[in-house]
Coordinates of all heavy atoms in Angstrom, one line a residue:
M5 N -158.1 -69.7 -178.8 CA -158.2 -68.8 -179.9 C -158.6 -69.5 -181.2 O -158.1 -70.6 -181.5 CB -156.9 -68.1 -180.1 CG -156.9 -67.2 -181.3 SD -155.2 -66.6 -181.9 CE -154.4 -66.1 -180.4
Q6 N -159.5 -68.9 -181.9 CA -160.0 -69.4 -183.2 C -159.0 -68.8 -184.3 O -158.5 -67.8 -184.1 CB -161.4 -69.0 -183.5 CG -162.0 -69.6 -184.7 CD -163.5 -69.2 -184.8 OE1 -164.0 -68.5 -184.1 NE2 -164.1 -69.8 -185.8
Q7 N -158.9 -69.6 -185.3 CA -158.1 -69.1 -186.4 C -158.9 -69.0 -187.7 O -159.8 -69.8 -188.0 CB -156.9 -70.1 -186.7 CG -155.9 -70.1 -185.5 CD -154.6 -70.7 -185.9 OE1 -154.6 -71.7 -186.6 NE2 -153.5 -70.1 -185.6
F8 N -158.7 -67.9 -188.4 CA -159.4 -67.6 -189.7 C -158.4 -67.7 -190.8 O -157.3 -67.1 -190.7 CB -160.0 -66.2 -189.7 CG -161.1 -66.1 -188.7 CD1 -161.4 -64.8 -188.2 CD2 -161.9 -67.2 -188.3 CE1 -162.5 -64.7 -187.3 CE2 -163.0 -67.0 -187.4 CZ -163.3 -65.8 -186.9
P9 N -158.8 -68.3 -192.0 CA -157.9 -68.3 -193.1 C -158.1 -67.1 -194.0 O -159.0 -67.0 -194.8 CB -158.4 -69.6 -193.9 CG -159.8 -69.7 -193.5 CD -160.0 -69.1 -192.1
C10 N -157.2 -66.1 -193.9 CA -157.2 -65.0 -194.8 C -156.8 -65.4 -196.2 O -155.7 -66.1 -196.3 CB -156.3 -63.9 -194.2 SG -156.2 -62.4 -195.3
P11 N -157.5 -65.1 -197.2 CA -157.1 -65.5 -198.6 C -155.8 -64.9 -199.0 O -155.1 -65.5 -199.9 CB -158.2 -64.9 -199.5 CG -159.4 -64.7 -198.5 CD -158.8 -64.4 -197.2
W12 N -155.3 -63.8 -198.4 CA -154.0 -63.2 -198.8 C -152.9 -63.6 -197.8 O -151.7 -63.7 -198.2 CB -154.2 -61.7 -198.9 CG -155.2 -61.3 -199.9 CD1 -155.0 -61.2 -201.2 CD2 -156.6 -61.0 -199.6 NE1 -156.2 -60.8 -201.8 CE2 -157.1 -60.7 -200.9 CE3 -157.3 -60.9 -198.5 CZ2 -158.5 -60.3 -201.0 CZ3 -158.7 -60.6 -198.6 CH2 -159.2 -60.3 -199.9
C13 N -153.2 -63.8 -196.6 CA -152.1 -63.9 -195.5 C -152.0 -65.3 -195.0 O -151.1 -65.6 -194.3 CB -152.4 -63.0 -194.4 SG -152.6 -61.3 -194.9
G14 N -153.0 -66.1 -195.2 CA -153.0 -67.5 -194.7 C -153.7 -67.6 -193.3 O -154.5 -66.7 -193.0
L15 N -153.5 -68.6 -192.6 CA -154.2 -68.8 -191.3 C -153.6 -67.9 -190.2 O -152.4 -67.8 -190.0 CB -153.9 -70.3 -190.9 CG -155.0 -71.0 -190.0 CD1 -156.3 -70.9 -190.7 CD2 -154.6 -72.4 -189.8
R16 N -154.6 -67.1 -189.6 CA -154.2 -66.1 -188.6 C -155.1 -66.2 -187.4 O -156.3 -66.6 -187.5 CB -154.2 -64.7 -189.2 CG -153.3 -64.5 -190.3 CD -151.8 -64.7 -189.9 NE -150.9 -64.6 -191.0 CZ -150.2 -63.5 -191.3 NH1 -150.3 -62.4 -190.5 NH2 -149.4 -63.5 -192.3
G17 N -154.7 -65.8 -186.2 CA -155.5 -65.7 -185.0 C -156.6 -64.7 -185.2 O -156.5 -63.7 -185.8
D18 N -157.8 -65.1 -184.5 CA -159.0 -64.2 -184.7 C -158.8 -62.8 -184.1 O -159.5 -61.9 -184.4 CB -160.2 -64.9 -184.1 CG -160.1 -65.2 -182.6 OD1 -159.1 -64.9 -182.0 OD2 -161.1 -65.7 -182.1
G19 N -157.8 -62.6 -183.2 CA -157.5 -61.3 -182.7 C -157.0 -60.3 -183.7 O -157.1 -59.1 -183.4
E20 N -156.6 -60.8 -184.8 CA -156.2 -59.9 -185.9 C -157.4 -59.3 -186.7 O -157.2 -58.4 -187.5 CB -155.2 -60.6 -186.9 CG -153.9 -60.9 -186.2 CD -152.9 -61.5 -187.2 OE1 -153.2 -61.4 -188.5 OE2 -151.9 -62.0 -186.8
F21 N -158.6 -59.9 -186.5 CA -159.7 -59.6 -187.3 C -160.7 -58.7 -186.6 O -160.8 -58.8 -185.3 CB -160.4 -60.8 -187.8 CG -159.5 -61.6 -188.8 CD1 -158.5 -62.5 -188.3 CD2 -159.6 -61.5 -190.1 CE1 -157.7 -63.3 -189.1 CE2 -158.8 -62.3 -191.0 CZ -157.9 -63.1 -190.5
R22 N -161.5 -57.9 -187.3 CA -162.6 -57.2 -186.7 C -163.9 -57.6 -187.4 O -164.0 -57.6 -188.6 CB -162.4 -55.7 -186.9 CG -161.2 -55.1 -186.3 CD -161.1 -55.3 -184.8 NE -159.8 -54.8 -184.3 CZ -158.7 -55.5 -184.1 NH1 -158.7 -56.8 -184.4 NH2 -157.6 -55.0 -183.7
Y23 N -164.9 -57.9 -186.6 CA -166.2 -58.3 -187.1 C -166.9 -57.1 -187.8 O -166.9 -56.0 -187.3 CB -167.1 -58.8 -186.0 CG -168.5 -59.2 -186.4 CD1 -168.6 -60.4 -187.1 CD2 -169.6 -58.5 -186.0 CE1 -169.9 -60.9 -187.4 CE2 -170.9 -58.9 -186.4 CZ -171.0 -60.1 -187.1 OH -172.2 -60.6 -187.4
G24 N -167.5 -57.4 -189.0 CA -168.1 -56.4 -189.8 C -169.6 -56.6 -190.0 O -170.2 -55.8 -190.7
G25 N -170.2 -57.6 -189.4 CA -171.6 -57.8 -189.6 C -172.0 -59.0 -190.4 O -171.1 -59.8 -190.9
D26 N -173.3 -59.2 -190.5 CA -173.8 -60.3 -191.3 C -173.6 -60.1 -192.7 O -173.9 -59.0 -193.3 CB -175.3 -60.5 -191.0 CG -175.6 -60.8 -189.6 OD1 -174.8 -61.4 -188.9 OD2 -176.7 -60.5 -189.1
A27 N -173.1 -61.1 -193.5 CA -172.8 -60.9 -194.9 C -174.0 -60.8 -195.7 O -174.0 -60.1 -196.8 CB -172.0 -62.1 -195.4
G28 N -175.2 -61.3 -195.3 CA -176.4 -61.3 -196.2 C -177.2 -60.1 -196.0 O -178.2 -59.9 -196.7
K29 N -176.9 -59.2 -195.1 CA -177.7 -58.0 -194.9 C -177.6 -57.0 -196.0 O -176.5 -56.8 -196.5 CB -177.3 -57.3 -193.6 CG -178.1 -57.7 -192.4 CD -177.7 -56.8 -191.2 CE -178.8 -56.9 -190.2 NZ -178.5 -56.1 -189.0
R30 N -178.7 -56.5 -196.4 CA -178.8 -55.5 -197.5 C -179.1 -54.1 -196.8 O -180.0 -53.9 -196.1 CB -179.8 -55.8 -198.5 CG -179.6 -57.1 -199.2 CD -178.5 -56.9 -200.3 NE -178.2 -58.1 -201.0 CZ -177.1 -58.7 -201.0 NH1 -176.0 -58.2 -200.3 NH2 -176.9 -59.8 -201.6
R31 N -178.3 -53.1 -197.3 CA -178.5 -51.7 -196.8 C -179.8 -51.2 -197.3 O -180.1 -51.4 -198.5 CB -177.4 -50.8 -197.3 CG -177.4 -49.4 -196.8 CD -176.3 -48.6 -197.5 NE -176.4 -47.2 -197.1 CZ -175.4 -46.6 -196.5 NH1 -174.3 -47.1 -196.3 NH2 -175.6 -45.3 -196.2
P32 N -180.7 -50.7 -196.4 CA -182.0 -50.2 -196.9 C -181.8 -49.0 -197.8 O -180.9 -48.2 -197.7 CB -182.7 -49.7 -195.6 CG -181.7 -49.7 -194.5 CD -180.5 -50.5 -195.0
E33 N -182.7 -49.0 -198.8 CA -182.6 -47.9 -199.9 C -183.6 -46.9 -199.6 O -184.7 -47.1 -199.0 CB -182.8 -48.5 -201.3 CG -181.6 -49.5 -201.6 CD -181.8 -50.0 -203.0 OE1 -182.5 -49.4 -203.9 OE2 -181.2 -51.1 -203.3
G34 N -183.4 -45.7 -200.1 CA -184.3 -44.6 -200.0 C -184.4 -44.1 -198.6 O -183.5 -44.2 -197.7
S35 N -185.5 -43.4 -198.3 CA -185.7 -42.8 -197.0 C -186.2 -43.9 -196.0 O -187.2 -44.6 -196.3 CB -186.8 -41.7 -197.1 OG -187.0 -41.1 -195.8
V36 N -185.6 -44.0 -194.9 CA -186.0 -45.0 -193.9 C -186.1 -44.4 -192.5 O -185.5 -43.3 -192.3 CB -184.9 -46.2 -193.8 CG1 -184.8 -46.9 -195.1 CG2 -183.6 -45.7 -193.4
S37 N -186.9 -45.0 -191.7 CA -187.1 -44.5 -190.3 C -185.8 -44.8 -189.5 O -185.0 -45.6 -189.9 CB -188.3 -45.1 -189.7 OG -188.0 -46.5 -189.5
A38 N -185.8 -44.1 -188.4 CA -184.6 -44.3 -187.4 C -184.7 -45.8 -187.0 O -183.6 -46.4 -186.8 CB -184.7 -43.4 -186.2
E39 N -185.9 -46.3 -186.8 CA -186.0 -47.7 -186.3 C -185.5 -48.7 -187.4 O -184.8 -49.7 -187.1 CB -187.4 -48.0 -186.0 CG -187.9 -47.3 -184.7 CD -188.3 -45.9 -184.9 OE1 -188.5 -45.5 -186.1 OE2 -188.4 -45.1 -183.9
Q40 N -185.8 -48.4 -188.7 CA -185.3 -49.3 -189.7 C -183.8 -49.2 -189.9 O -183.2 -50.2 -190.1 CB -186.0 -48.9 -191.1 CG -187.5 -49.2 -191.1 CD -188.1 -48.6 -192.4 OE1 -187.9 -47.4 -192.6 NE2 -188.9 -49.4 -193.1
W41 N -183.3 -48.0 -189.7 CA -181.8 -47.8 -189.8 C -181.1 -48.6 -188.7 O -180.1 -49.2 -188.9 CB -181.4 -46.4 -189.9 CG -180.0 -46.2 -190.0 CD1 -179.1 -45.8 -189.1 CD2 -179.2 -46.5 -191.2 NE1 -177.8 -45.8 -189.6 CE2 -177.8 -46.3 -190.9 CE3 -179.5 -47.0 -192.5 CZ2 -176.8 -46.5 -191.8 CZ3 -178.5 -47.2 -193.4 CH2 -177.2 -46.9 -193.0
A42 N -181.7 -48.4 -187.5 CA -181.1 -49.1 -186.3 C -181.1 -50.6 -186.5 O -180.2 -51.3 -186.1 CB -181.8 -48.6 -185.0
A43 N -182.3 -51.1 -187.0 CA -182.4 -52.5 -187.2 C -181.3 -53.0 -188.2 O -180.7 -54.1 -188.0 CB -183.8 -52.9 -187.8
Y44 N -181.1 -52.3 -189.2 CA -180.0 -52.6 -190.2 C -178.6 -52.5 -189.6 O -177.8 -53.4 -189.7 CB -180.1 -51.7 -191.4 CG -178.8 -51.8 -192.3 CD1 -178.5 -52.9 -193.1 CD2 -177.9 -50.7 -192.3 CE1 -177.4 -52.9 -193.8 CE2 -176.8 -50.7 -193.0 CZ -176.5 -51.8 -193.8 OH -175.3 -51.9 -194.5
R45 N -178.4 -51.4 -188.9 CA -177.0 -51.1 -188.4 C -176.6 -51.9 -187.2 O -175.5 -52.3 -187.0 CB -176.9 -49.6 -188.2 CG -175.6 -49.1 -187.8 CD -174.6 -49.2 -189.0 NE -173.3 -48.8 -188.6 CZ -172.4 -49.5 -188.1 NH1 -172.6 -50.8 -188.0 NH2 -171.2 -49.1 -187.8
F46 N -177.5 -52.1 -186.2 CA -177.1 -52.6 -184.9 C -177.7 -54.0 -184.5 O -177.1 -54.6 -183.7 CB -177.5 -51.6 -183.8 CG -176.9 -50.3 -184.1 CD1 -177.6 -49.2 -184.4 CD2 -175.5 -50.1 -183.9 CE1 -177.0 -47.9 -184.7 CE2 -174.9 -48.9 -184.2 CZ -175.7 -47.8 -184.5
Y47 N -178.8 -54.4 -185.1 CA -179.4 -55.6 -184.6 C -178.8 -56.8 -185.4 O -178.7 -56.8 -186.6 CB -180.9 -55.6 -184.8 CG -181.6 -54.5 -184.0 CD1 -182.8 -54.0 -184.3 CD2 -181.0 -54.0 -182.8 CE1 -183.4 -53.0 -183.6 CE2 -181.6 -53.0 -182.1 CZ -182.8 -52.5 -182.5 OH -183.4 -51.5 -181.7
R48 N -178.5 -57.9 -184.7 CA -178.0 -59.1 -185.3 C -178.9 -60.3 -184.9 O -179.4 -60.3 -183.8 CB -176.6 -59.4 -184.7 CG -175.6 -58.2 -184.8 CD -174.9 -58.2 -186.1 NE -174.0 -57.2 -186.2 CZ -174.2 -56.0 -186.8 NH1 -175.3 -55.7 -187.3 NH2 -173.2 -55.1 -186.8
A49 N -178.9 -61.2 -185.8 CA -179.7 -62.4 -185.6 C -179.1 -63.3 -184.5 O -179.7 -63.9 -183.6 CB -179.9 -63.2 -186.9
N50 N -177.8 -63.4 -184.5 CA -177.0 -64.1 -183.6 C -177.5 -65.6 -183.4 O -177.6 -66.1 -182.2 CB -177.0 -63.4 -182.2 CG -175.8 -63.9 -181.3 OD1 -174.8 -64.4 -181.8 ND2 -175.9 -63.7 -180.0
G51 N -177.8 -66.2 -184.5 CA -178.3 -67.6 -184.4 C -177.2 -68.6 -184.2 O -176.0 -68.3 -184.3
K52 N -177.6 -69.8 -183.9 CA -176.7 -70.9 -183.7 C -176.5 -71.6 -185.0 O -177.5 -71.9 -185.7 CB -177.2 -71.8 -182.6 CG -177.3 -71.2 -181.2 CD -177.8 -72.2 -180.2 CE -177.9 -71.6 -178.8 NZ -178.6 -72.5 -177.9
G53 N -175.3 -72.1 -185.3 CA -175.1 -72.8 -186.5 C -174.3 -72.1 -187.6 O -173.5 -71.2 -187.2
R54 N -174.6 -72.4 -188.8 CA -173.9 -71.8 -189.9 C -174.2 -70.3 -190.1 O -175.4 -69.9 -190.0 CB -174.1 -72.5 -191.2 CG -173.4 -73.8 -191.3 CD -173.4 -74.3 -192.7 NE -172.6 -75.5 -192.7 CZ -172.1 -76.1 -193.8 NH1 -172.4 -75.6 -195.0 NH2 -171.4 -77.2 -193.7
A55 N -173.2 -69.5 -190.3 CA -173.4 -68.1 -190.5 C -172.4 -67.6 -191.5 O -171.3 -68.1 -191.6 CB -173.1 -67.3 -189.1
H56 N -172.9 -66.6 -192.3 CA -172.0 -65.9 -193.3 C -171.7 -64.5 -192.7 O -172.6 -63.7 -192.4 CB -172.7 -65.8 -194.6 CG -172.9 -67.1 -195.3 ND1 -172.0 -67.5 -196.3 CD2 -173.8 -68.0 -195.1 CE1 -172.4 -68.7 -196.7 NE2 -173.5 -69.0 -196.0
E57 N -170.4 -64.2 -192.4 CA -170.1 -63.0 -191.7 C -169.0 -62.3 -192.5 O -168.2 -62.8 -193.2 CB -169.5 -63.3 -190.4 CG -170.5 -64.1 -189.5 CD -169.8 -64.7 -188.2 OE1 -168.6 -65.0 -188.3 OE2 -170.6 -64.8 -187.2
L58 N -169.0 -60.9 -192.3 CA -167.9 -60.1 -192.9 C -166.9 -59.8 -191.8 O -167.2 -59.5 -190.7 CB -168.5 -58.7 -193.3 CG -169.6 -58.8 -194.4 CD1 -170.2 -57.4 -194.6 CD2 -169.2 -59.5 -195.6
W59 N -165.6 -60.0 -192.2 CA -164.5 -59.7 -191.3 C -163.4 -58.9 -192.0 O -163.2 -59.1 -193.2 CB -163.9 -61.1 -190.9 CG -164.8 -61.8 -189.9 CD1 -165.8 -62.7 -190.2 CD2 -164.7 -61.8 -188.5 NE1 -166.4 -63.2 -189.1 CE2 -165.7 -62.7 -188.0 CE3 -163.9 -61.1 -187.6 CZ2 -166.0 -62.9 -186.7 CZ3 -164.2 -61.3 -186.2 CH2 -165.2 -62.2 -185.8
L60 N -162.9 -58.0 -191.2 CA -161.8 -57.2 -191.7 C -160.5 -57.7 -191.1 O -160.4 -57.8 -189.9 CB -162.0 -55.7 -191.3 CG -160.8 -54.8 -191.6 CD1 -160.6 -54.6 -193.1 CD2 -161.1 -53.4 -191.0
H61 N -159.5 -58.0 -191.9 CA -158.2 -58.4 -191.4 C -157.4 -57.1 -191.0 O -156.5 -56.7 -191.7 CB -157.4 -59.2 -192.4 CG -156.2 -59.9 -191.8 ND1 -155.4 -60.7 -192.5 CD2 -155.8 -60.0 -190.5 CE1 -154.4 -61.2 -191.7 NE2 -154.7 -60.8 -190.5
A62 N -157.9 -56.5 -189.9 CA -157.4 -55.2 -189.5 C -155.9 -55.2 -189.2 O -155.2 -54.2 -189.5 CB -158.2 -54.7 -188.3
D63 N -155.4 -56.2 -188.5 CA -154.0 -56.2 -188.1 C -153.2 -57.0 -189.0 O -152.1 -57.5 -188.6 CB -153.9 -56.8 -186.6 CG -154.6 -55.8 -185.6 OD1 -154.7 -54.7 -185.9 OD2 -154.9 -56.3 -184.5
G64 N -153.7 -57.2 -190.2 CA -152.9 -57.9 -191.3 C -152.9 -57.1 -192.5 O -152.4 -55.9 -192.6
C65 N -153.5 -57.6 -193.6 CA -153.5 -57.0 -194.9 C -154.5 -55.8 -195.0 O -154.4 -55.1 -196.0 CB -153.8 -58.0 -196.0 SG -155.4 -58.8 -195.8
G66 N -155.5 -55.7 -194.1 CA -156.4 -54.6 -194.2 C -157.5 -54.9 -195.2 O -158.3 -53.9 -195.5
R67 N -157.7 -56.1 -195.6 CA -158.7 -56.4 -196.6 C -159.9 -57.1 -195.9 O -159.8 -57.7 -194.9 CB -158.2 -57.3 -197.7 CG -157.1 -56.6 -198.5 CD -156.5 -57.6 -199.5 NE -155.9 -56.9 -200.5 CZ -155.1 -57.5 -201.4 NH1 -154.9 -58.8 -201.4 NH2 -154.5 -56.7 -202.3
W68 N -161.1 -57.0 -196.6 CA -162.3 -57.6 -196.2 C -162.5 -59.0 -196.7 O -162.1 -59.2 -197.9 CB -163.5 -56.7 -196.6 CG -163.7 -55.5 -195.7 CD1 -163.2 -54.3 -196.0 CD2 -164.3 -55.4 -194.5 NE1 -163.5 -53.4 -195.0 CE2 -164.2 -54.0 -194.1 CE3 -165.0 -56.3 -193.7 CZ2 -164.8 -53.6 -192.9 CZ3 -165.6 -55.8 -192.5 CH2 -165.5 -54.5 -192.1
L69 N -163.1 -59.9 -196.0 CA -163.4 -61.2 -196.4 C -164.7 -61.7 -195.9 O -165.2 -61.1 -194.9 CB -162.3 -62.2 -196.1 CG -161.9 -62.3 -194.6 CD1 -161.5 -63.8 -194.4 CD2 -160.7 -61.4 -194.3
E70 N -165.3 -62.6 -196.5 CA -166.5 -63.2 -196.0 C -166.2 -64.6 -195.5 O -165.5 -65.4 -196.3 CB -167.6 -63.3 -197.1 CG -168.9 -64.0 -196.6 CD -169.9 -64.1 -197.7 OE1 -169.9 -63.3 -198.7 OE2 -170.8 -65.0 -197.6
I71 N -166.6 -64.9 -194.3 CA -166.3 -66.2 -193.7 C -167.6 -66.9 -193.4 O -168.5 -66.3 -192.9 CB -165.5 -66.0 -192.4 CG1 -164.1 -65.5 -192.8 CG2 -165.4 -67.4 -191.7 CD1 -163.2 -65.3 -191.6
E72 N -167.7 -68.1 -193.9 CA -168.8 -69.0 -193.5 C -168.3 -69.9 -192.4 O -167.3 -70.6 -192.5 CB -169.3 -69.8 -194.7 CG -170.5 -70.7 -194.3 CD -170.9 -71.6 -195.5 OE1 -170.3 -71.6 -196.5 OE2 -171.9 -72.4 -195.3
R73 N -169.0 -69.8 -191.2 CA -168.5 -70.6 -190.1 C -169.7 -71.1 -189.3 O -170.8 -70.6 -189.4 CB -167.5 -69.9 -189.3 CG -168.1 -68.7 -188.5 CD -167.1 -68.0 -187.7 NE -167.7 -66.9 -186.9 CZ -167.9 -67.0 -185.6 NH1 -167.5 -68.1 -184.9 NH2 -168.5 -66.1 -184.9
D74 N -169.4 -72.1 -188.5 CA -170.4 -72.7 -187.6 C -170.1 -72.0 -186.2 O -169.1 -72.1 -185.6 CB -170.2 -74.2 -187.4 CG -171.4 -74.8 -186.7 OD1 -171.6 -74.4 -185.5 OD2 -172.0 -75.7 -187.2
T75 N -171.2 -71.3 -185.7 CA -171.0 -70.5 -184.5 C -171.0 -71.4 -183.3 O -170.6 -70.9 -182.2 CB -172.1 -69.4 -184.4 OG1 -173.4 -70.1 -184.4 CG2 -172.0 -68.4 -185.5
L76 N -171.4 -72.6 -183.4 CA -171.3 -73.5 -182.3 C -170.0 -74.3 -182.2 O -169.4 -74.3 -181.1 CB -172.5 -74.6 -182.3 CG -173.9 -74.0 -182.1 CD1 -174.9 -75.1 -182.3 CD2 -174.0 -73.5 -180.6
S77 N -169.6 -74.8 -183.3 CA -168.3 -75.6 -183.3 C -167.1 -74.7 -183.6 O -166.0 -75.2 -183.4 CB -168.4 -76.7 -184.3 OG -168.4 -76.2 -185.6
H78 N -167.3 -73.5 -184.1 CA -166.2 -72.6 -184.5 C -165.5 -73.1 -185.8 O -164.4 -72.6 -186.1 CB -165.2 -72.3 -183.4 CG -165.9 -71.7 -182.2 ND1 -166.4 -70.4 -182.3 CD2 -166.1 -72.1 -181.0 CE1 -167.0 -70.1 -181.1 NE2 -166.8 -71.1 -180.3
E79 N -166.1 -74.1 -186.4 CA -165.5 -74.6 -187.7 C -165.6 -73.6 -188.8 O -166.7 -73.0 -189.0 CB -166.1 -75.9 -188.1 CG -165.7 -76.4 -189.5 CD -166.5 -77.5 -190.1 OE1 -167.6 -77.8 -189.5 OE2 -166.2 -78.0 -191.1
V80 N -164.5 -73.2 -189.4 CA -164.6 -72.3 -190.6 C -164.8 -73.2 -191.8 O -164.0 -74.1 -192.1 CB -163.3 -71.5 -190.7 CG1 -163.3 -70.7 -192.0 CG2 -163.1 -70.6 -189.5
I81 N -165.9 -73.0 -192.5 CA -166.3 -73.8 -193.6 C -165.7 -73.2 -194.9 O -165.3 -74.0 -195.8 CB -167.9 -73.9 -193.7 CG1 -168.4 -74.6 -192.5 CG2 -168.3 -74.6 -195.0 CD1 -169.7 -74.1 -192.0
A82 N -165.7 -71.9 -195.0 CA -165.2 -71.3 -196.2 C -164.8 -69.8 -195.9 O -165.4 -69.2 -195.0 CB -166.2 -71.3 -197.4
A83 N -163.9 -69.3 -196.7 CA -163.5 -67.9 -196.6 C -163.2 -67.5 -198.0 O -162.5 -68.1 -198.8 CB -162.2 -67.8 -195.7
R84 N -163.7 -66.3 -198.4 CA -163.5 -65.8 -199.7 C -163.3 -64.3 -199.6 O -163.8 -63.6 -198.8 CB -164.6 -66.1 -200.7 CG -165.9 -65.4 -200.3 CD -167.0 -65.7 -201.4 NE -168.2 -65.0 -201.2 CZ -168.4 -63.7 -201.6 NH1 -167.5 -63.1 -202.2 NH2 -169.5 -63.1 -201.3
P85 N -162.5 -63.7 -200.5 CA -162.2 -62.3 -200.5 C -163.5 -61.5 -201.0 O -164.2 -62.0 -201.9 CB -161.1 -62.1 -201.6 CG -161.1 -63.3 -202.4 CD -161.7 -64.4 -201.6
L86 N -163.7 -60.4 -200.5 CA -164.9 -59.6 -200.9 C -164.5 -58.8 -202.2 O -165.3 -58.7 -203.1 CB -165.3 -58.6 -199.8 CG -166.2 -59.1 -198.7 CD1 -166.7 -58.0 -197.8 CD2 -167.4 -59.9 -199.3
N87 N -163.4 -58.2 -202.2 CA -162.9 -57.5 -203.4 C -161.6 -58.1 -203.9 O -160.6 -57.6 -203.5 CB -162.8 -56.0 -203.1 CG -164.1 -55.4 -202.6 OD1 -165.1 -55.6 -203.3 ND2 -164.1 -54.7 -201.5
P88 N -161.7 -59.2 -204.7 CA -160.4 -59.8 -205.1 C -159.5 -58.9 -205.9 O -160.0 -58.0 -206.5 CB -160.9 -61.0 -205.9 CG -162.3 -60.9 -206.1 CD -162.9 -59.8 -205.2
Ligands
LIG13 ZN1 -154.9 -60.8 -194.6

């Protein structure tokens, strides 16, 4: 099990968190096609290495955080609150 450092609760098992997507993605503005919306909503780069991700501490404080981690080594490099 991997552990994530929640800024409010401390170090917790990853089973308490829900993945919320890539942190760098921007919601498309204006009128978009179904394909553009699907690309935003469902497609992930899923690259190897460092990633910035959104996580919800669903079984804890219920707050959102951004985690920078290495998807190969599972090292958590940084964690910060989204709405401090
Ligand atoms: Zn928490």
